[in-house]
Amino acid sequence: MDRQHKVGVGLRAAHVEDLLSSQAGIDFVEVHAENHFAPGGISRALLERVSQALPVSLHGTGAGLASKVPIPKAHLQRLRALVEMTQPLFVSDHVAQTWFEEAGHIRHAGDLLPVAFNRASLTCLVDNISRVQDHLGRPILIENLAQYVRFSQSNMPEVEFLALACERTGCGLLLDLNNLYVNAINDGEAAPEATIRRWIDTFPAEFVMELHLAGSTVRTGELVIDDHAQPVSDAVWALHRRALARFPWAASLIEWDEQLPSWGRLLQEAERARH
């Protein structure tokens, strides 16, 4: 991959025809991999059309890279089929727990469950990243999670935990700036922006390949929810500028999943990310 700054948007079904009519202003689109796992049908046909129009990034929500059990082979086989079909710019998924064993059967939690930052979790994460990369024959990106709980079993900072995973597997980092911001606010940080700037300045730069930007919903007296239902906040835009100063080659991706804007409005956010 070249080291030029690329800008993309998360593609949702309501915008597919707009994208196919005009790709002006964006360099790639991100699609959720599991939405296209079915071998055939309209979702696979749409993905084929989209991948012919623009480079695609495959972003997963179901691998559960930090799960305590190995990611099932069937999941990896479906993902590999999409990789072979689209030849994506990136393949990514979350540092989350998803798969677990119950009564001898492997189950899927249906959500991105949080992780304790310790050596035991790191071992599970490294094993699963290696399993995915070996199956795909290529490195992946891992994304930091918006976590709404903290574990007493955590005994290392998140930044160290993720850096060690990248160093031991050769994977890259998809740095979600909004997730960092949501976590800092929910943790009651007195100066959240300063905390995140230290995070950005500390993480080994060579591993950061992509940046996610999104909006969140703030409820007075409650948690800030990473729902991707708002424009990117001014605070996150400021963090984006800081991140690009340190990782100028990293691609920037606008996520907007709820209360979808028009395609034109989404492109405005992409244009702001570029400049």
Side-chain angles (χ1 to χ4, degrees), residues 142-155:
I142 61 174
E143 180 182 348
N144 56 296
L145 193 66
Q147 298 204 160
Y148 300 102
V149 297
R150 288 290 181 267
F151 293 100
S152 60
Q153 296 91 336
S154 293
N155 54 24

Side-chain angles (χ1 to χ4, degrees), residues 65 122-134 138-142 161-173 207:
L65 295 170
L122 181 62
T123 297
C124 295
L125 177 60
V126 167
D127 288 348
N128 272 317
I129 294 171
S130 299
R131 180 175 172 81
V132 174
Q133 293 185 152
D134 289 346
R138 60 175 288 165
I140 65 170
L141 305 183
I142 61 174
F161 181 83
L162 296 177
L164 286 171
C166 291
E167 290 169 2
R168 294 181 183 182
T169 64
C171 74
L173 181 70
F207 294 121

Side-chain angles (χ1 to χ4, degrees), residues 230-241:
Q230 309 291 335
V232 179
S233 68
D234 289 341
V236 173
W237 280 123
L239 295 170
H240 181 246
R241 288 191 293 273

Side-chain angles (χ1 to χ4, degrees), residues 107-120:
R107 310 288 190 190
H108 195 279
D111 205 348
L112 300 171
L113 302 179
V115 178
F117 301 131
N118 56 34
R119 298 290 170 178

Side-chain angles (χ1 to χ4, degrees), residues 4-110:
Q4 183 180 2
H5 179 223
K6 299 181 184 295
V7 174
V9 298
L11 184 62
R12 303 299 172 255
H15 293 146
V16 168
E17 293 304 325
D18 291 313
L19 166 74
L20 295 172
S21 299
S22 173
Q23 302 95 43
I26 54 174
D27 302 307
F28 71 104
V29 291
E30 179 188 272
V31 297
H32 286 168
E34 289 84 1
N35 291 345
H36 305 278
F37 269 10
I42 189 169
S43 65
R44 188 67 70 91
L46 282 174
L47 179 58
E48 186 170 10
R49 291 176 64 197
V50 168
S51 63
Q52 290 171 353
L54 271 177
V56 165
S57 173
L58 292 177
H59 186 52
T61 60
L65 295 170
S67 299
K68 293 181 175 63
V69 298
I71 300 167
K73 188 175 181 179
H75 185 98
L76 298 179
Q77 288 173 332
R78 295 185 183 102
L79 181 58
R80 181 172 177 170
L82 289 186
V83 170
E84 292 173 348
M85 172 186 162
T86 61
Q87 296 299 305
L89 187 65
F90 302 115
V91 180
S92 57
D93 213 309
H94 299 78
V95 178
Q97 300 184 83
T98 300
W99 299 98
F100 63 98
E101 185 174 352
E102 180 188 37
H105 298 283
I106 302 299
R107 310 288 190 190
H108 195 279

